[in-house]
Amino acid sequence: MKFLGKRKPAGGSGPAAPAATTRERGNVAEDQALAHLQAAGLQLVVRNYRTPGRGGGEIDLVMRERDGTLVFVEVRSRAGSAFGGAGASISVTKQQRIIFAARHYLLRLPSPPPCRFDVVLVEASVQWLKAAFDAQ
């Protein structure tokens, strides 16, 4: 008879450790990206900014450069490079949602500062792509 459940680790007596959820892996990647950006001198303004309602957008990190530039950061992580890796997962639709959320965020400010959209790819290493895309 075949056993289709989770296997116990070899030599261990307890159940197999549960795999990290996508959200947990995303949080770890965001933590790594945040540490990388802060080490480069950026300040965290807000994490996981979401627009209200369905169909809106989310910005993983809103950071501020020393010169006052507001940086909207999308963090992408992939375990492997299949299907183009983390960078290939930022579709035009995803960019539009980030831009929508950024515009919503900027409406709250009395005078919007200079802004840009960066991407941080977390794969085997952390790669920071400044001005990865533009609002159109």
Side-chain angles (χ1 to χ4, degrees), residues 96-112:
Q96 290 171 340
R97 288 185 177 176
I98 295 166
I99 292 165
F100 176 82
R103 287 182 174 144
H104 185 271
Y105 181 85
L106 291 170
L107 286 173
R108 305 172 336 142
L109 304 178
S111 177

Side-chain angles (χ1 to χ4, degrees), residues 58-127:
E58 178 196 2
I59 301 167
D60 295 325
L61 302 169
V62 180
M63 308 290 292
R64 188 173 305 279
E65 284 270 19
R66 288 183 182 119
D67 68 1
T69 300
L70 206 55
V71 183
F72 299 103
V73 182
E74 174 66 8
V75 179
R76 300 306 269 189
S77 176
R78 292 289 180 270
S81 60
F83 308 108
S89 69
I90 306 171
S91 66
V92 171
T93 302
K94 180 65 177 172
Q95 290 177 31
Q96 290 171 340
R97 288 185 177 176
I98 295 166
I99 292 165
F100 176 82
R103 287 182 174 144
H104 185 271
Y105 181 85
L106 291 170
L107 286 173
R108 305 172 336 142
L109 304 178
S111 177
C115 303
R116 73 168 190 258
F117 295 92
D118 290 3
V119 171
V120 175
L121 305 175
V122 180
E123 294 175 306
S125 62
V126 177
Q127 184 180 9

Side-chain angles (χ1 to χ4, degrees), residues 6 17-26 28:
K6 290 184 181 178
T21 65
T22 302
R23 185 69 222 147
E24 289 168 340
R25 287 191 306 268
V28 168

